[in-house]
Amino acid sequence: MKPFETSCYSLLLLPLLASSAWSASALESAVERVAREHLNRYAESIGLAEPQLKLKLSTGNLGGCPDDARIETIDVRQPSRMRFAAICSGEKRTVVVRATIAADVVVFAHDQKAGVPIDASALKREHRDVTATPGAVADIDDVAGKTSRRAMRAGQLADRRWLNESVLVKRNSKVTIVARNAGVEVHVAAEAMQSGKRGEVISVKNSTNGAVIRARVIGPDVVEPLDISSEGTR
């Protein structure tokens, strides 16, 4: 082919190449949008506020796909390797999206023994990569007072998968019934007939009149009656 003919042929190809590249770019944006929507829903579902997302797409096989190609989700169980598909003329073109998620989450400020109630002073919040930690916790209040099933080292992320509610009231222990009504608060001494964690309902016996009532555990050795008119609060 002569030099002049070669130049003309190259010029004819330029619009086609430009169109193909532009289509691939538009389709990449569509895949990224779908991936970000999933990641934001995922972050919200585990309680992360304002997560920072970074995505890397592997889209080398999207050449020739139309801009409006349908995007299907194949596997998004692992943010670090999600798979989507672009449907191009009936053919599925796989797109791999690798994401990282960072957010402000709770970490241990010092070593924590297993089974020991976690004090709020033992916790702090730091900006961390939580891509591989779906149990990361954003609020210190959601960790304080609980126990960990495993020993934790300073700097480790608090992970809800390892947290248990602490037993705040033990059977036969002395407790205080706190009854509130119309701005008035009454404290009554009682004895726990059952052990209980925060939010659990247990039976307690009024130390003054012996009445047994059902009460909800609201703190260490503190309960509130389910029925404010109960004899057990008098």
Side-chain angles (χ1 to χ4, degrees), residues 31-40 42-43 51-58 75-84 95-103 128-133:
V31 174
E32 181 175 346
R33 183 173 62 254
V34 172
R36 283 186 178 276
E37 289 173 353
H38 164 73
L39 289 170
N40 280 319
Y42 167 75
Q52 292 184 342
L53 309 177
K54 292 183 179 180
L55 282 69
K56 183 177 180 181
L57 284 67
S58 174
D75 186 353
V76 292
R77 290 173 295 178
Q78 299 294 332
S80 58
R81 191 180 189 280
M82 302 182 292
R83 291 190 300 136
F84 300 88
V95 180
V96 175
V97 179
R98 301 182 186 278
T100 59
I101 306 173
R128 293 289 194 87
D129 185 327
V130 295
T131 309
T133 313

Side-chain angles (χ1 to χ4, degrees), residues 46-48 104-107 125 130 133-143 157-161 163:
I46 61 176
L48 300 181
D104 292 334
V105 291
V106 180
V107 302
R125 295 181 79 221
V130 295
T133 313
V137 185
D139 193 334
I140 286 178
D141 289 341
D142 290 336
V143 180
L157 294 175
D159 191 330
R160 66 181 76 252
R161 294 173 297 181
L163 297 176

Side-chain angles (χ1 to χ4, degrees), residues 20-206:
S20 176
W22 182 83
S23 297
S25 178
L27 193 52
E28 286 176 9
S29 297
V31 174
E32 181 175 346
R33 183 173 62 254
V34 172
R36 283 186 178 276
E37 289 173 353
H38 164 73
L39 289 170
N40 280 319
R41 289 194 300 270
Y42 167 75
E44 183 179 359
S45 73
I46 61 176
L48 300 181
E50 300 181 358
Q52 292 184 342
L53 309 177
K54 292 183 179 180
L55 282 69
K56 183 177 180 181
L57 284 67
S58 174
T59 57
N61 61 346
L62 292 183
C65 286
D67 298 344
D68 59 352
R70 189 172 82 256
I71 308 299
E72 290 186 356
T73 299
I74 300 176
D75 186 353
V76 292
R77 290 173 295 178
Q78 299 294 332
S80 58
R81 191 180 189 280
M82 302 182 292
R83 291 190 300 136
F84 300 88
I87 310 304
C88 302
S89 301
E91 178 188 0
K92 285 189 176 183
R93 307 277 186 89
T94 301
V95 180
V96 175
V97 179
R98 301 182 186 278
T100 59
I101 306 173
D104 292 334
V105 291
V106 180
V107 302
F108 286 91
H110 55 69
D111 293 351
Q112 176 72 33
K113 293 181 179 179
V116 176
I118 303 168
D119 191 82
S121 64
L123 305 167
K124 60 182 179 178
R125 295 181 79 221
E126 289 185 354
H127 196 72
R128 293 289 194 87
D129 185 327
V130 295
T131 309
T133 313
V137 185
D139 193 334
I140 286 178
D141 289 341
D142 290 336
V143 180
K146 292 182 171 64
T147 60
S148 176
R149 296 199 301 274
R150 60 186 293 186
M152 306 298 289
R153 292 189 177 279
Q156 279 190 283
L157 294 175
D159 191 330
R160 66 181 76 252
R161 294 173 297 181
W162 296 105
L163 297 176
N164 285 330
E165 288 286 352
S166 299
V167 175
L168 299 180
V169 173
K170 294 184 178 180
R171 185 173 181 270
N172 296 327
S173 65
K174 302 298 181 182
V175 299
T176 300
I177 303 173
V178 178
R180 302 179 181 88
N181 188 23
V184 178
E185 184 174 295
V186 178
H187 291 208
V188 178
E191 179 182 343
M193 303 179 70
Q194 296 171 281
S195 296
K197 301 175 182 178
R198 186 182 299 275
E200 291 185 337
V201 176
I202 62 173
S203 295
V204 298
K205 183 169 67 174
N206 187 313

